[in-house]
Amino acid sequence: MKGILRGIFLAILFGSTSLSCKHNPKIKGDLLLTNVNIIDIQSGEIDYGQQVVIEGNRITHRLEGHEESDFEAIKTVNAGNKFLIPGLWDMHTHPDDPEVWRMQPPMEAKDRLLPLFVIHGVTGIRDMGGDLNLVKRWREQYSDGKLLAPKIFACGPLLDGPNPMWDGSAGIDGPEKVEQVVDSLMAEGIDFLKVYSLLPRDTYMALSRYANSLDFPFVGHVPFTVLPSEAANTGMKSQEHLLEILKECSAQIPDKLLKEIRGMKDGVQKSVAANNFRIGSYDAGQANALFGLFAEKEIWHCPTLSMWQKNAWFEEELKKDKELFAYLPKYLQAYWTPKYNDHLQNRDNQEYINVKKRLYQLYLEMVRDMHNKGVMLLAGTDMGANPLCFPGIGLHNELKTLVQAGLSPHEALKTATTHPVDFLEIEEDYGSVEVGKVADLVLLDKNPLDNIANLQYVFAVLRDGKFIGPKEIQEIKTSTKAVNAAGDWTEDELK
Ligand SMILES: [Zn+2]
């Protein structure tokens, strides 16, 4: 009786519907979270002291903390005023990077990368190139309960020119071959197409026409022979790594310098000279006009800033990240060293390293200007071959670099939650803590709106409604380290 009275009183006071709770049948669910502060990523507002009920993999109820509730949940977790956000997305990953195939990694070692995303709150990824069969295997193992994995959207092989840059790519022999290649990949169940740097101009144009005629998304590297504005005008849905923007927004290299550069024997020297000229003649006004076009055409950008940063400051960053290596399988530990890694060559050439650092500073400016122009940004790490882009934690780093570029923590959070969900057109099921949506959620000890670094305080993760608490997270960390240390790969195996 007392309870009902209190319910009526609160209903009047708060205009809530709590009264109905006592008269409705019991609310049943698999999991009840109490005392959660829910962050609405869209508005940046926080609803304090909420209760959330999950049944199966969906959120079925959300109630104010004061509402009288008559729950029957299999498991109840008092979240003690922790912060609940929708699961994070890493929009540029390669858990099976073709660039790393030369290390002959065992399949099971690649599998061990996937739980690392989830335990750091990354419940969804865009796989930007790798073996499609492996992606299918990961999805299967996940649904069979054998592997903790994020939700994966994948493109399979990279679409490159006749002599592709990396193993496993689909090298397209000419514009007339485009339809056949695209049709066969679509038949295999890819989610989107990814174009790559060496795609010749006429083949790229044929591909964009065909993909547009099918209304099928294509994304990727702006090829060397295409300008970012042309890629935008031909409907490339997302552009990666800020590639070719500098080329379009800097002065043409004058003939005299071009001749000098061509005469240089050393490729590193060539790239230093060309980049120094371009950085020096970068025209922010021209760039802003280009960014206006991106915004108008609704072209998304995934700048992968942390990848550029980790590379430019590799030695310093390595010291900070050293202990995280234990979570990586041995083949990747080896690949993230100058001994094997293409991205870590010529580290003793100070001029070359300085150019990388200057480029990164310029990229921060570009991202700030893009954001101010209303270009939609996606958070992505390029996890895979690129050193120190860790699965899971790497995404936290990416959001820090976006804040460094000038986004607020709230805006940075959007690039890993609501933006990916809009981009993937799955907003009915993901991107917020709302009734009816899939329970891919992250419970944080501290508020990430106050400081983006608070993402490191993951208390628990929900993946398809399954609660992965502190104990489970610790178990996964410990066992991953142990299996990696025992090792299922040695350098001797390399032929
Ligand atoms: Zn990539």
Side-chain angles (χ1 to χ4, degrees):
M1 191 59 194
K2 233 174 143 187
I4 294 170
L5 281 178
R6 194 168 155 257
I8 293 167
F9 174 69
L10 289 171
I12 294 164
L13 196 66
F14 294 99
S16 78
T17 55
S18 63
L19 186 62
S20 59
C21 292
K22 278 287 165 189
H23 299 290
N24 281 347
K26 276 185 177 180
I27 295 173
K28 290 189 178 177
D30 296 323
L31 176 66
L32 165 65
L33 295 174
T34 63
N35 282 314
V36 281
N37 302 331
I38 299 177
I39 299 181
D40 179 337
I41 301 282
Q42 211 57 266
S43 67
E45 277 162 22
I46 303 176
D47 286 331
Y48 290 91
Q50 305 286 297
Q51 305 176 76
V52 178
V53 185
I54 289 148
E55 171 129 43
N57 75 336
R58 301 263 170 183
I59 299 166
T60 55
H61 296 82
R62 248 189 78 164
L63 293 132
E64 301 282 334
H66 58 75
E67 284 181 279
E68 284 294 307
S69 48
D70 194 3
F71 292 124
E72 199 182 279
I74 294 168
K75 183 185 173 90
T76 299
V77 175
N78 183 340
N81 287 310
K82 296 186 198 306
F83 296 85
L84 190 63
I85 59 168
L88 303 167
W89 291 79
D90 185 339
M91 292 298 278
H92 196 124
T93 67
H94 304 269
D96 171 37
D97 200 326
E99 191 185 327
V100 191
W101 289 357
R102 69 173 90 141
M103 305 301 277
Q104 301 169 20
M107 189 165 58
E108 292 74 14
K110 296 178 194 174
D111 295 349
R112 290 199 298 278
L113 295 168
L114 293 159
L116 297 174
F117 286 103
V118 180
I119 62 169
H120 292 102
V122 179
T123 54
I125 61 173
R126 192 168 58 141
D127 185 315
M128 294 295 278
D131 181 354
L132 194 61
N133 288 321
L134 198 49
V135 172
K136 289 178 183 170
R137 180 168 165 272
W138 288 331
R139 286 174 180 153
E140 237 172 70
Q141 288 202 322
Y142 172 72
S143 32
D144 293 348
K146 291 178 187 154
L147 178 72
L148 180 63
K151 187 169 177 66
I152 310 172
F153 284 78
C155 62
L158 311 173
L159 303 178
D160 211 351
N163 298 304
M165 200 176 287
W166 306 112
D167 288 347
S169 299
I172 309 183
D173 275 334
E176 67 284 355
K177 292 284 166 58
V178 161
E179 296 195 9
Q180 185 197 324
V181 173
V182 170
D183 289 349
S184 72
L185 286 174
M186 284 176 71
E188 282 187 53
I190 57 162
D191 299 303
F192 58 93
L193 299 159
K194 182 182 178 188
V195 304
Y196 212 68
S197 301
L198 299 181
L199 205 60
R201 186 180 171 83
D202 54 353
T203 308
Y204 168 80
M205 292 299 170
L207 188 137
S208 66
R209 274 193 301 273
Y210 188 53
N212 286 329
S213 78
L214 301 172
D215 200 20
F216 195 71
F218 66 101
V219 306
H221 288 198
V222 172
F224 293 144
T225 51
V226 176
L227 293 172
S229 60
E230 294 175 312
N233 282 322
T234 48
M236 192 192 276
K237 191 172 178 180
S238 76
Q239 297 185 12
E240 309 301 308
H241 318 301
L242 308 169
L243 295 176
E244 311 306 318
I245 292 176
L246 191 55
K247 203 156 84 186
E248 181 158 358
C249 300
S250 298
Q252 287 272 352
I253 299 180
D255 285 347
K256 190 168 163 266
L257 179 60
L258 203 61
K259 227 173 134 185
E260 267 176 49
I261 292 175
R262 285 197 180 124
M264 292 171 181
K265 285 197 186 78
D266 179 21
V268 174
Q269 213 186 344
K270 282 183 184 187
S271 111
V272 167
N275 275 321
N276 268 330
F277 176 80
R278 285 189 179 131
I279 295 168
S281 66
Y282 175 76
D283 181 343
Q286 202 179 330
N288 271 295
L290 176 64
F291 303 159
L293 175 77
F294 293 150
E296 181 205 321
K297 298 274 175 191
E298 295 179 22
I299 305 302
W300 299 72
H301 271 265
C302 185
T304 62
L305 283 172
S306 52
M307 179 272 286
W308 296 116
Q309 189 224 5
K310 293 282 176 187
N311 187 287
W313 282 271
F314 175 71
E315 289 75 11
E316 294 87 338
E317 292 295 314
L318 180 62
K319 279 183 202 144
K320 289 188 221 161
D321 291 343
K322 198 78 206 172
E323 66 194 55
L324 297 177
F325 269 63
Y327 295 104
L328 299 176
K330 284 252 162 75
Y331 77 90
L332 206 51
Q333 292 185 18
Y335 195 72
W336 284 7
T337 61
K339 183 175 177 187
Y340 293 107
N341 201 298
D342 281 353
H343 310 285
L344 291 177
Q345 300 310 303
N346 307 295
R347 300 301 300 184
D348 49 1
N349 185 334
Q350 207 45 54
E351 252 196 308
Y352 178 63
I353 302 303
N354 285 343
V355 165
K356 285 175 184 266
K357 291 179 178 174
R358 288 182 72 197
L359 274 175
Y360 178 72
Q361 297 300 340
L362 187 53
Y363 289 159
L364 288 177
E365 244 178 75
M366 283 183 192
V367 168
R368 179 202 62 203
D369 287 356
M370 276 188 187
H371 176 66
N372 290 340
K373 276 274 173 192
V375 179
M376 300 294 272
L377 300 172
L378 298 169
T381 59
D382 212 356
M383 178 272 145
N386 284 286
L388 313 182
C389 301
F390 291 89
I393 285 180
L395 198 265
H396 304 173
N397 288 332
E398 181 64 15
L399 295 192
K400 282 184 205 163
T401 62
L402 288 166
V403 169
Q404 196 189 0
L407 278 71
S408 68
H410 176 212
E411 290 161 340
L413 267 177
K414 285 186 177 181
T415 70
T417 52
T418 49
H419 287 194
V421 163
D422 285 350
F423 176 87
L424 297 165
E425 299 173 25
I426 50 172
E427 54 273 51
E428 266 185 35
D429 293 320
Y430 296 91
S432 63
V433 188
E434 280 180 284
V435 170
K437 293 210 176 176
V438 172
D440 276 6
L441 308 168
V442 190
L443 200 51
L444 297 163
D445 284 320
K446 296 187 183 182
N447 182 356
L449 297 175
D450 290 343
N451 184 345
I452 200 65
N454 286 344
L455 282 178
Q456 71 188 290
Y457 304 111
V458 172
F459 173 77
V461 181
L462 282 94
R463 172 76 178 104
D464 268 327
K466 188 173 170 281
F467 187 80
I468 304 145
K471 200 173 130 253
E472 288 92 341
I473 290 175
Q474 198 46 54
E475 273 168 16
I476 291 168
K477 285 185 177 176
T478 309
S479 68
T480 305
K481 272 188 180 181
V483 179
N484 287 334
D488 48 7
W489 180 94
T490 65
E491 276 179 294
D492 310 335
E493 286 164 32
L494 294 180
K495 284 159 206 151

